[in-house]
Amino acid sequence: MWISKQLTEKSDSPVIENGRVTLNDKGELEAVSTGAERSVKVYAPYGYSFSLPAGSELLMTRSSGEQVSFGTEMKYDSLGEGEIKITSSSGGYIYLKNDGSVVINGLKINSKGVIE
């Protein structure tokens, strides 16, 4: 509902715009879109935490007078429908597959908990 309200409001500037992270210092995020923004809040699903590296593209809008971000552009990475992959900037990953297996940095654990 909040997003649909943002989309329907009239404004001189774009309601939703792409930005690029210029600085991330201990969670204090700065980004550039149509202007430079400081203290950009980043929202994610409950339980997820991440720290965006400088240079990351993000989708931003205004909420209650402050700039907020919906998140960053997703990398498709050949996932099957319904699969989830969490990846760090160093290349570490956790991949939840449709067959019930989990792959952690190349180590596969099948749905019965056996390492393959």
Side-chain angles (χ1 to χ4, degrees), residues 33-110:
S33 56
T34 54
E37 302 291 342
R38 293 187 176 183
S39 300
V40 176
K41 291 184 179 179
V42 179
Y43 290 85
Y46 179 81
Y48 285 75
S49 296
F50 56 90
S51 181
L52 289 168
S56 298
E57 186 176 339
L58 49 124
L59 193 58
M60 300 177 4
T61 191
R62 286 220 168 270
S63 174
S64 302
E66 60 187 9
Q67 198 74 3
V68 298
S69 172
F70 296 63
T72 187
E73 184 178 5
M74 185 186 79
K75 306 271 186 288
Y76 178 68
D77 204 22
S78 303
L79 298 176
E81 187 175 329
E83 293 184 333
I84 299 169
K85 187 173 185 182
I86 303 168
T87 307
S88 72
S89 62
S90 66
Y93 67 92
I94 300 171
Y95 184 8
L96 307 175
K97 300 187 71 159
N98 284 332
D99 63 4
S101 66
V102 178
V103 180
I104 303 173
N105 293 337
L107 175 73
K108 185 174 181 180
I109 303 169
N110 70 22

